[in-house]
Amino acid sequence: MTGPRAPWRVHAVLPRSVANGPGTRYVIWSQGCALGCPGCFNPETHPADGVGGASVRTAGEVAADVLADAAHLEGVTLTGGEPLEQPAAIAAFCAEVKARSGLGVIVLTGFARREIETDPARAAAVADADLVIAGRCGCASARSATRPASSGCPRRRGSR
């Protein structure tokens, strides 16, 4: 199914965050990720069926929630899990938000740019995004003495 009725497995939402991009943002964590990046900060989002509270909503329902609060937001951040494992929902959500508001959309994905560009569904999913932060989280190799192992990936870290 495509369009606003596309199903979206959502792990969690945070209606207001200043820690997940510039300004005050609505943050949506997708449920499901098969990439298995080492050091991922959100491993509870990996099972596709979810654990403890993940829900299936439509892209239109989630967009309606965001749009109802748009006057208090500067943007939306999509993270996960892996948003691009649900490309129809992400494409529909981004199109709806961009068509009906001035909110900026950031997509955080573990897929590399080439993996996005060569897959029509993934490319369509980010067509209406303002910023795509792409690539596997290699935090295990990027850790230093100033950032402890428990800090997780800075691209995936977020306050909930």
Side-chain angles (χ1 to χ4, degrees):
M1 185 174 302
T2 61
R5 293 181 46 183
W8 188 358
R9 292 181 320 277
V10 175
H11 176 78
V13 300
L14 182 61
R16 298 243 169 70
S17 173
V18 294
N20 291 280
T24 302
R25 307 188 74 75
Y26 196 105
V27 185
I28 304 158
W29 284 266
S30 292
Q31 183 67 46
C33 181
L35 297 177
C37 299
C40 178
F41 195 74
N42 297 322
E44 69 278 8
T45 65
H46 292 183
D49 59 354
V51 177
S55 62
V56 177
R57 302 184 62 202
T58 68
E61 290 170 337
V62 180
D65 287 350
V66 171
L67 293 167
D69 203 25
H72 302 100
L73 301 169
E74 283 137 87
V76 181
T77 299
L78 307 181
T79 188
E82 177 49 63
L84 297 188
E85 286 185 3
Q86 301 181 73
I90 300 305
F93 173 84
C94 290
E96 185 76 6
V97 168
K98 294 308 280 189
R100 297 184 52 207
S101 75
L103 297 175
V105 177
I106 296 174
V107 177
L108 297 148
T109 177
F111 286 104
R113 180 178 175 179
R114 180 151 176 74
E115 291 173 303
I116 296 167
E117 291 173 343
T118 59
D119 182 287
R122 288 185 201 129
V126 299
D128 287 313
D130 295 291
L131 176 65
V132 177
I133 300 174
R136 303 294 192 279
C137 178
C139 293
S141 61
R143 288 189 185 114
S144 69
T146 60
R147 192 171 87 222
S150 63
S151 69
C153 178
R155 274 203 331 245
R156 295 286 189 184
R157 182 175 40 241
S159 298
R160 286 192 224 167

